[in-house]
Amino acid sequence: MNIEELQKICLEVRRDIIRMLGEAGSGHPGGSLSAVELVVSLYFSVMRQKPQKPDWEDRDRFVLSKGHCCPLLYAVLARCGYFPLEKLLTLRKLGSPLQGHPHNLEVPGIEASTGSLGQGLSIANGIALAGRLDKKSYRVYCLLGDGETDEGQIWEAAMTANHYHLDNLCAIVDRNRLQIDGETKNIMQLEPYNEKWEAFGWKVIEIDGNNLKEISEAYAQAENIKGKPAVIIAHTIKGKGVSYMENRVEWHGKAPKKEEEEKALKELR
Amino acid sequence: MKLKSTRDGYGEALLKLGNENPDVVVLTADLGESTRSHWFKEKFPERFFQIGVAEADMIGTAAGLALSGKIAFVSGFGVFVTGRVWDQLRISVAYSNANVKIGSTHCGITVGADGASHQAIEDIALMRVLPGFTVIVPADALEATRATVAASKIYGPVYLRLGRAPLPIVTEEAEVFTIGKAQLLKEGDDLTVIACGVMVKESLEAAKVLKEKGISARVINLHTIKPIDRKSIINAAKETGAIITAEEHQVMGGMGSAVAEVVMEEYPVPMKRIGILDRFGQSGKPDELMKEYHLTADDIVLEAANILKRK
Ligand SMILES: Cc1ncc(C[n+]2csc(CCOP(=O)(O)OP(=O)(O)O)c2C)c(N)n1
Ligand SMILES: [Mg+2]
């Protein structure tokens, strides 16, 4: 799929996210919007998948470790054909498969339940190890938040991926520089960040994570790395695409009101 | 009498399963030898994953392997594979319904000299509240082997509570292990002692002493705490009219509490829960500790006399 086509899908997905959150009255727009290009690019031009057969053995796997950003994943899955688009507006409602944080038993295409930060990379390691045992060529992708990498378990998992030379694994850090209580640098200093990952044995690829061209090059580069895992440090803008949300910490975890929703949808055209 | 620990029974079962089922994988966090999972490692190195002293990561890795079709046995000390990683067990394993089995060794105070930090006495309580988890406490090494094999045959998370101390064998070699079906070890009609783990042996001894005193005690090995065998508990309440539970665990939230929940709802009779009373463990020899914490056959006999007065 070419860049213009991907861009169109990104726009639709951003509109989906805003409408879902508006309808739900709650949810996490900032980190959903920042990672749109990263996830759309994966699902529409990188990953091997069969939406009609979500448990296809040879599929590439995606683990959303930062589970609060599931509106993004739900929108992408629906647009790939995993389930009908109409379902999106049931987000966070009683009885909906689209739970406030992802539940693998409810939604086709969700590999593992997440929502408690810090756990997804370990799960991705396990999936990658199983792929190797089974002599499968599938690849495993795992999206992390930058604030999420405050968690010690992430660094345990980083060591494990290196120890087992998991070159079928690619982590992506949404480096939007914000978490709940403020800027990552004020909450918990992550820098020197690339050096941390490198010291843990990873190949680091640093990009503009809202730039589809850089993203697709990064995924291609990651796939060619042998003998070690790759991490894409993707610099993004939290709330990307909606002017009043961009880089604003208060838009981490609240839904737009009706007028705000309309304003956002006007901008996303 | 030949003594053998339940962790040994677990390790032997893993070896057997390794031969029988290529989907079985085993993980540990720097405790391969202590958990007896190193026997599996020697035979099936490619299916054994050393994760280092990183229990949270071990649970997540096991979940990932399990969600990719493996039967993942996690082997570690009870304190470190329950409370320390409870949220990982809750979300990555239970909520994801991953086919992960927790081989939790060094449970209870019979751990001995290592003391409180290494004695898991809250684990049954922690594990039985997690939706979807099966919770099993084998009474001896033979039962541990059977339980481990049985755990591999059902889909979904299973918690196996195992011990370090060598114990006498109280079950039969040919016994069939059915998850969720309590084992009636001795008939009796004055009262019932429901026990699990090392307390099964103490209960059988207590029943002998009681018999000499003319008291007929039924003894049940409640090896599966969840799903609990409601029927045999209700029958015990109806037919014997008094129930004592005995476990090497905090009484709060443990096996006795699980039994009390059934009795209270279905057929209230006098009950007494024997277990650890809101204390931590400590260093000492296993038998010294069992005395100190009132977890012996004598303690069961004493409570039997008391409970009969309440009937
Ligand atoms: C273990 C855990 N602790 C706390 C939370 C609450 N929480 C949800 S999102 C979040 C901040 C995450 O920041 P980041 O990873 O940077 O996400 P993004 O900016 O991409 O939204 C926190 C603390 C959680 N979900 N899990
Ligand atoms: Mg962030």
Side-chain angles (χ1 to χ4, degrees):
Chain A
M1 203 174 266
N2 68 35
I3 300 252
E4 284 84 77
E5 287 168 315
L6 286 174
Q7 248 155 6
K8 272 197 199 120
I9 297 168
C10 288
L11 191 65
E12 288 306 327
V13 165
R14 285 203 160 88
R15 292 176 61 85
D16 292 338
I17 292 168
I18 294 299
R19 289 172 53 229
M20 290 162 79
L21 291 190
E23 180 67 25
S26 66
H28 298 83
S32 296
L33 292 168
S34 58
V36 168
E37 283 81 6
L38 293 166
V39 178
V40 165
S41 173
L42 257 189
Y43 273 85
F44 286 88
S45 62
V46 177
M47 281 171 39
R48 289 166 298 175
Q49 43 160 350
K50 292 184 181 170
Q52 303 315 321
K53 202 170 175 257
D55 55 359
W56 177 42
E57 282 189 0
D58 294 315
R59 70 190 183 281
D60 290 330
R61 270 76 162 173
F62 176 73
V63 177
L64 181 68
S65 194
K66 55 166 192 158
H68 60 284
C69 299
C70 56
L72 162 61
L73 180 56
Y74 295 154
V76 169
L77 289 174
R79 293 208 166 264
C80 284
Y82 281 87
F83 55 85
L85 276 170
E86 303 85 74
K87 274 257 156 67
L88 290 179
L89 292 182
T90 67
L91 174 72
R92 289 175 166 248
K93 299 240 157 88
L94 185 68
S96 169
L98 307 187
Q99 292 290 297
H101 292 82
H103 188 15
N104 64 331
L105 306 181
E106 290 285 341
V107 185
I110 304 262
E111 301 288 347
S113 298
T114 51
S116 176
L117 292 171
Q119 302 188 21
L121 190 56
S122 302
I123 297 175
N125 283 345
I127 299 174
L129 286 168
R132 181 184 292 172
L133 267 183
D134 292 339
K135 307 208 163 37
K136 298 257 178 219
S137 62
Y138 66 70
R139 290 183 55 74
V140 187
Y141 296 90
C142 179
L143 180 63
L144 306 166
D146 49 2
E148 182 184 12
T149 64
D150 294 348
E151 286 281 1
Q153 188 182 344
I154 294 294
W155 300 99
E156 296 178 5
M159 275 197 272
T160 299
N162 170 55
H163 182 79
Y164 286 100
H165 309 291
L166 296 180
D167 54 14
N168 53 349
L169 172 74
C170 173
I172 306 128
V173 178
D174 183 350
R175 186 78 173 102
N176 58 27
R177 294 184 176 265
L178 289 174
Q179 51 199 106
I180 293 190
D181 278 351
E183 294 184 49
T184 53
K185 69 169 191 286
N186 297 327
I187 304 303
M188 184 50 65
Q189 182 59 270
L190 294 170
E191 299 294 344
Y193 201 54
N194 292 4
E195 290 84 344
K196 275 199 180 70
W197 285 97
E198 277 161 3
F200 277 74
W202 289 58
K203 168 70 190 175
V204 172
I205 304 168
E206 194 174 14
I207 59 165
D208 172 348
N210 295 123
N211 181 317
L212 285 163
K213 184 163 171 292
E214 287 190 30
I215 292 170
S216 94
E217 285 166 8
Y219 286 138
Q221 191 188 341
E223 191 157 353
N224 285 323
I225 289 156
K226 293 291 162 245
K228 54 158 83 180
V231 57
I232 298 173
I233 309 292
H235 294 278
T236 66
I237 292 173
K238 197 155 176 171
K240 172 81 177 170
V242 178
S243 59
Y244 62 87
M245 289 184 181
E246 287 191 359
N247 289 319
R248 301 300 294 261
V249 70
E250 64 269 31
W251 285 101
H252 170 82
K254 70 169 178 180
K257 299 202 184 67
K258 199 74 214 153
E259 321 78 70
E260 290 167 334
E261 181 181 337
E262 279 162 16
K263 183 156 185 276
L265 292 175
K266 233 177 248 156
E267 290 182 21
L268 292 168
R269 273 211 276 245
Chain B
M1 199 187 314
K2 198 173 133 254
L3 299 179
K4 199 166 168 183
S5 68
T6 48
R7 64 174 164 164
D8 284 349
Y10 169 73
E12 286 172 12
L14 290 183
L15 206 53
K16 180 170 142 71
L17 288 171
N19 275 315
E20 288 169 4
N21 189 340
D23 285 333
V24 168
V25 299
V26 176
L27 301 88
T28 196
D30 203 19
L31 289 171
E33 184 171 345
S34 310
T35 60
R36 302 300 188 245
S37 55
H38 68 315
W39 296 336
F40 182 94
K41 178 196 170 180
E42 279 152 25
K43 229 39 229 275
F44 311 102
E46 72 293 344
R47 283 192 271 147
F48 179 86
F49 299 100
Q50 175 59 265
I51 304 294
V53 197
E55 294 80 11
D57 184 44
M58 170 167 69
I59 300 298
T61 307
L65 283 156
L67 291 168
S68 312
K70 304 297 165 199
I71 304 172
F73 281 86
V74 167
S75 314
F77 286 178
V79 281
F80 307 132
V81 293
T82 61
R84 187 172 178 113
V85 294
W86 192 78
D87 187 49
Q88 283 77 10
L89 292 170
R90 182 169 181 269
I91 298 300
S92 295
V93 176
Y95 193 45
S96 296
N97 195 27
N99 200 11
V100 171
K101 321 294 173 185
I102 312 295
S104 173
T105 70
H106 296 60
C107 289
I109 51 174
T110 47
V111 165
D114 274 346
S117 64
H118 282 57
Q119 295 164 344
I121 54 176
E122 311 83 3
D123 55 305
I124 296 175
L126 287 170
M127 300 310 296
R128 79 184 183 91
V129 290
L130 289 178
F133 250 97
T134 295
V135 177
I136 300 176
V137 185
D140 64 18
L142 291 179
E143 190 164 75
T145 301
R146 289 192 293 269
T148 306
V149 172
S152 77
K153 304 237 149 90
I154 60 166
Y155 185 90
V158 177
Y159 179 70
L160 294 162
R161 183 183 214 236
L162 307 161
R164 170 182 187 275
L167 302 176
I169 300 297
V170 293
T171 67
E172 301 293 328
E173 179 96 52
E175 197 81 49
V176 178
F177 187 89
T178 310
I179 292 173
K181 178 104 191 58
Q183 189 192 11
L184 177 67
L185 286 176
K186 194 187 152 297
E187 253 315 348
D189 38 46
D190 292 333
L191 68 112
T192 302
V193 182
I194 300 180
C196 64
V198 349
M199 295 309 289
V200 170
K201 163 180 89 76
E202 301 297 328
S203 303
L204 288 169
E205 279 169 30
K208 265 191 214 142
V209 177
L210 288 168
K211 191 171 170 210
E212 285 159 19
K213 300 186 178 207
I215 299 168
S216 149
R218 181 179 297 187
V219 179
I220 290 174
N221 170 16
L222 190 68
H223 52 64
T224 310
I225 315 295
K226 186 184 172 189
I228 202 161
D229 185 348
R230 298 180 78 88
K231 205 164 144 227
S232 72
I233 294 169
I234 296 165
N235 286 346
K238 285 185 181 161
E239 292 160 17
T240 70
I243 293 177
I244 293 175
T245 59
E247 64 195 305
E248 189 198 6
H249 183 276
Q250 298 284 4
V251 285
M252 277 186 279
M255 177 273 277
S257 296
V259 170
E261 287 160 13
V262 176
V263 171
M264 176 268 291
E265 284 177 355
E266 304 277 357
Y267 199 87
V269 294
M271 258 197 83
K272 175 69 192 178
R273 293 171 302 159
I274 295 176
I276 296 168
L277 301 174
D278 206 18
R279 294 167 70 187
F280 281 106
Q282 58 181 302
S283 294
K285 294 206 178 73
D287 51 338
E288 292 170 348
L289 289 166
M290 293 299 270
K291 283 205 185 80
E292 166 66 24
Y293 287 80
H294 300 292
L295 299 177
T296 66
D298 288 348
D299 297 296
I300 298 171
V301 170
L302 200 75
E303 293 300 347
N306 289 337
I307 206 168
L308 288 179
K309 291 184 212 143
R310 292 166 53 205
K311 263 179 90 168

